[in-house]
Amino acid sequence: MLRLFAIAFLLVPFYLAAQVTSSIDSTKIKIGQQITFKVEVEADTTDLVVFPEGQTFSPLEMIESYKVDTTKNNAKYQLIKRYGLTQFDSGSYTIPKQKIIIGSKTFFTDSLRVEVSNIEVDTTKQGLYDIKPFIKVEKSSSNRWLIILGILLAVLLVAFLLYWFIWRKKPLSEDAKIALLPPYDRAKLALKKLDESTYLQNAELKDYYSELTFIIRKYLDEKVYDKALESTTDELISRLNLLKDANQIELSTEDIRNLETILKRADLVKFAKSAPDIELAKLDRNTIDIEIDHVKEALPEPTEEEKLLNQQYKEEQAHKKKRRKVLLTVFISVFLIIATVIGFGIKYGFAYVKDTLIGHESKELLEGNWVRSEYGIPPISISTPKVLKRLDTPVPEELNDRVKITAFGYGSVLDFFSVIVSTTTVAEAGEDNPIDLKQAPEGAIRQLEAKGIKDITVKREQFITPNAAEGLKTYGTARFPILNSENFVDGHYAIIHFVAEGEKIMQQIMITWTDDDVYAEETVERILNSIELKKAEE
């Protein structure tokens, strides 16, 4: 039994290893040619299987990750995952071991060797041509045009509503059209509508005489005596006689007597419940019609001065109406702008709204078109708001043969925001004399102090990139000098260090920003989360 148990114990690793196998369809390819890396996994139906993702095949480049093929065999799943790999430089390369997680266990594939050879060019059959010139590439557009389009549509909508409800010349209603007629025409039209009424058919004499006397009183109020509507019959007749005697109106005594008779009969109908004959009511209507004509004829023609004053009055009224429209439009526009600013301020914060309207450099960096690129050898892949430009990094002459530094950056440590990526190669370092990652931050801190930065606090922690590269993060606060000034501004810094390729290359990412920059924290976090390291070619 003990011997059987020992044999079973020795077979367990082989059983587990048999769950993961890997292979490639070719070990020799031309530059740029694709090979397929295949991983086969056998697992229980309840196990979670995690395949490698991202550029984990360096120095080969993954150009495509295919979907997992799954087949079921009793209580097991047979999973096949394929990757398309290539390389654009000739040489001999090794595909590193790939980590596969099955349930709670971790497995590694075998490392595989691939030979990449140059493509032979027969220059006797294939002509050689000059290198083509650079082609200008248009900058990719952001979603800012959508914001501008939305604002434009909102402005057009408000403008249309203001035009429709305030500035549009609205069609006149029937009553409005009548109100624009001269008093004489309105009086004649009112008599015509009175004829079309059913007052006399229904023997509603009180309403009939009320309407009839209102027509003549309204006409007199507008053309003769401006208190005709509110005066009693005696007061009105007395005023007409005075105007006649003063030669201000050429009405005959008979005309005034006819008006007096009809007005007093109407008073009896309205207040004493008198009921005259229907034909008499019709006769009174015709008399009023005639008297309206007589009053018009009796009125003196307006003088040129009166006509001018009337024109000026109309122009003043039109100017007042236009001014009311302008004031109302301005008030509504200002109200909508203030309401919009307050609404966005409540939702996003008033500082954000202010920076959006006025502009803020860090906000524009954060919301602009970011660039992902690789810097140095071995390459550091990083996303930044702007492309990092190569920086001059002088090295003392005595160290020229031993130290090489390449650096790329945006801004400097004395600016309000900066990103600097550098790669330092030390010739004397190596596996026997490796660069000490823990000592690297001390040199970076000394560089900050040499720039005049003071009161530097230092904290350290492990830093792991999304593709599992391990480094050291040094961060803290400091006081940065303001250029051309003796003053300082409070700020932060973060420095990431990695050691690569035989422990003789040190890679560094340094980011600095000020305390009062409300957008910098999000920008820095986005930059740090984007850092990935790629292994150098063997």
Side-chain angles (χ1 to χ4, degrees):
M1 289 294 294
L2 183 60
R3 184 177 180 183
L4 290 174
F5 177 77
I7 294 173
F9 179 78
L10 292 173
L11 289 175
V12 168
F14 291 99
Y15 172 73
L16 292 176
Q19 292 186 84
V20 178
T21 59
S22 61
S23 62
I24 54 177
D25 59 353
S26 177
T27 59
K28 294 182 179 181
I29 61 172
K30 301 291 186 181
I31 289 178
Q33 185 179 351
Q34 179 178 321
I35 61 173
T36 301
F37 179 82
K38 183 172 70 173
V39 180
E40 297 184 45
V41 174
E42 184 182 275
D44 292 334
T45 57
T46 59
D47 286 338
L48 175 65
V49 179
V50 179
F51 290 98
E53 293 295 339
Q55 298 295 344
T56 61
F57 299 91
S58 181
L60 270 73
E61 180 180 346
M62 186 188 77
I63 57 177
E64 189 169 1
S65 175
Y66 299 97
K67 292 183 178 180
V68 178
D69 294 331
T70 306
T71 56
K72 188 174 182 181
N73 185 12
N74 296 327
K76 297 285 185 179
Y77 272 140
Q78 188 75 22
L79 307 177
I80 300 176
K81 175 71 173 178
R82 294 180 175 86
Y83 300 89
L85 309 179
T86 190
Q87 175 56 255
F88 296 96
D89 287 325
S90 60
S92 179
Y93 300 93
T94 299
I95 300 176
K97 296 179 180 180
Q98 300 297 310
K99 182 169 68 174
I100 312 294
I101 300 175
I102 304 176
S104 59
K105 299 181 177 64
T106 301
F107 300 86
F108 290 91
T109 64
D110 295 331
S111 58
L112 301 172
R113 199 75 173 173
V114 178
E115 297 290 336
V116 181
S117 58
N118 283 318
I119 299 175
E120 295 183 0
V121 179
D122 188 353
T123 57
T124 62
K125 297 180 180 180
Q126 177 66 43
L128 299 178
Y129 303 95
D130 291 336
I131 298 174
K132 292 183 178 181
F134 289 108
I135 299 176
K136 184 178 180 181
V137 179
E138 296 294 333
K139 183 178 180 181
S140 60
S141 59
S142 64
N143 61 350
R144 180 169 295 182
W145 69 272
L146 290 175
I147 299 173
I148 295 174
L149 179 61
I151 294 174
L152 181 60
L153 291 176
V155 171
L156 290 176
L157 176 61
V158 172
F160 173 77
L161 294 176
L162 290 175
Y163 163 77
W164 186 261
F165 291 104
I166 298 177
W167 291 95
R168 179 176 63 98
K169 192 174 182 179
K170 302 175 181 65
L172 296 176
S173 63
E174 191 65 27
D175 292 339
K177 291 178 180 179
I178 294 173
L180 293 177
L181 294 174
Y184 175 80
D185 294 335
R186 274 189 276 117
K188 289 291 187 177
L189 184 61
L191 287 175
K192 185 178 179 181
K193 287 189 174 182
L194 182 62
D195 294 338
E196 297 171 354
S197 68
T198 60
Y199 292 142
L200 295 181
Q201 289 87 329
N202 298 330
E204 297 173 351
L205 294 174
K206 180 178 179 180
D207 294 333
Y208 184 84
Y209 272 97
S210 295
E211 189 72 24
L212 180 64
T213 54
F214 177 79
I215 293 171
I216 185 61
R217 281 176 176 271
K218 178 68 174 176
Y219 181 64
L220 293 173
D221 184 84
E222 293 179 325
K223 302 300 293 183
V224 179
Y225 177 46
D226 59 0
K227 293 185 179 180
L229 284 173
E230 57 192 66
S231 300
T232 64
T233 300
D234 291 337
E235 291 173 346
L236 178 56
I237 297 301
S238 176
R239 172 60 66 173
L240 293 176
N241 284 319
L242 286 174
L243 293 173
K244 174 182 175 298
D245 295 339
N247 294 323
Q248 295 184 11
I249 184 172
E250 297 180 359
L251 271 178
S252 65
T253 303
E254 184 180 356
D255 290 329
I256 296 175
R257 190 183 301 115
N258 290 338
L259 291 174
E260 181 180 11
T261 300
I262 295 173
L263 291 173
K264 286 187 175 181
R265 186 179 293 121
D267 289 341
L268 290 174
V269 172
K270 291 187 289 184
F271 304 113
K273 298 184 179 180
S274 175
D277 188 76
I278 298 296
E279 294 301 323
L280 180 59
K282 293 180 180 180
L283 181 62
D284 288 341
R285 182 263 177 217
N286 293 332
T287 302
I288 290 296
D289 192 6
I290 294 171
E291 294 305 328
I292 289 174
D293 293 335
H294 289 172
V295 171
K296 180 184 179 184
E297 295 170 358
L299 292 173
E301 288 292 328
T303 63
E304 291 298 325
E305 184 179 356
E306 289 174 338
K307 290 180 180 179
L308 182 61
L309 290 174
N310 186 43
Q311 182 64 26
Q312 289 178 348
Y313 173 77
K314 290 180 179 179
E315 290 176 356
E316 288 177 359
Q317 291 300 112
H319 180 70
K320 288 181 180 179
K321 187 177 181 181
K322 183 177 181 180
R323 186 173 63 180
R324 284 196 298 270
K325 288 183 177 181
V326 170
L327 291 175
L328 185 59
T329 301
V330 172
F331 173 78
I332 293 175
S333 301
V334 172
F335 172 78
L336 289 176
I337 292 173
I338 294 175
T340 302
V341 171
I342 292 175
F344 279 102
I346 293 174
K347 184 174 181 179
Y348 299 106
F350 289 98
Y352 180 85
V353 174
K354 176 181 71 67
D355 294 337
T356 301
L357 295 176
I358 300 176
H360 192 286
E361 184 178 356
S362 291
K363 182 176 180 295
E364 292 173 0
L365 287 177
L366 177 61
E367 298 178 352
N369 294 322
W370 283 52
V371 178
R372 184 166 189 85
S373 189
E374 297 177 355
Y375 303 93
I377 300 175
I380 300 174
S381 179
I382 186 172
S383 294
T384 53
K386 299 289 183 180
V387 175
L388 305 186
K389 297 181 180 180
R390 183 179 289 274
L391 303 177
D392 292 330
T393 52
V395 177
E397 292 184 4
E398 61 272 16
L399 298 178
N400 273 340
D401 297 333
R402 293 181 291 171
V403 177
K404 292 183 179 180
I405 302 175
T406 58
F408 303 83
Y410 170 79
S412 71
V413 294
L414 298 184
D415 292 329
F416 292 135
F417 181 83
S418 70
V419 183
I420 300 174
V421 177
S422 63
T423 302
T424 303
T425 303
V426 182
E428 297 176 353
E431 295 182 359
D432 297 333
N433 185 27
I435 296 175
D436 189 353
L437 183 62
K438 295 181 179 179
Q439 298 296 323
E442 296 182 4
I445 297 299
R446 285 196 296 269
Q447 291 178 3
L448 294 178
E449 292 174 340
K451 296 287 186 179
I453 300 170
K454 61 182 184 178
D455 299 339
I456 302 173
T457 63
V458 179
K459 298 179 182 178
R460 297 182 183 180
E461 63 181 32
Q462 187 183 30
F463 184 86
I464 301 177
T465 67
N467 64 341
E470 296 184 4
L472 179 64
K473 177 181 178 182
T474 306
Y475 63 100
T477 60
R479 299 187 67 205
F480 296 83
I482 300 176
L483 290 175
N484 303 321
S485 172
E486 297 181 356
N487 299 323
F488 287 78
V489 61
D490 293 334
H492 299 262
Y493 72 93
I495 309 172
I496 314 299
H497 284 102
F498 301 95
V499 174
E501 194 172 319
E503 311 297 329
K504 67 178 181 179
I505 296 178
M506 183 177 68
Q507 298 162 298
Q508 173 182 292
I509 301 100
M510 178 183 291
I511 309 173
T512 60
W513 68 99
T514 57
D515 237 355
D516 57 353
D517 191 342
V518 295
Y519 305 99
E521 291 286 349
E522 187 176 351
T523 303
V524 172
E525 183 179 0
R526 184 172 171 182
I527 293 173
L528 294 179
N529 290 337
S530 71
I531 297 174
E532 289 187 356
L533 300 188
K534 293 188 176 182
K535 297 179 181 179
E537 298 172 355
E538 294 185 2

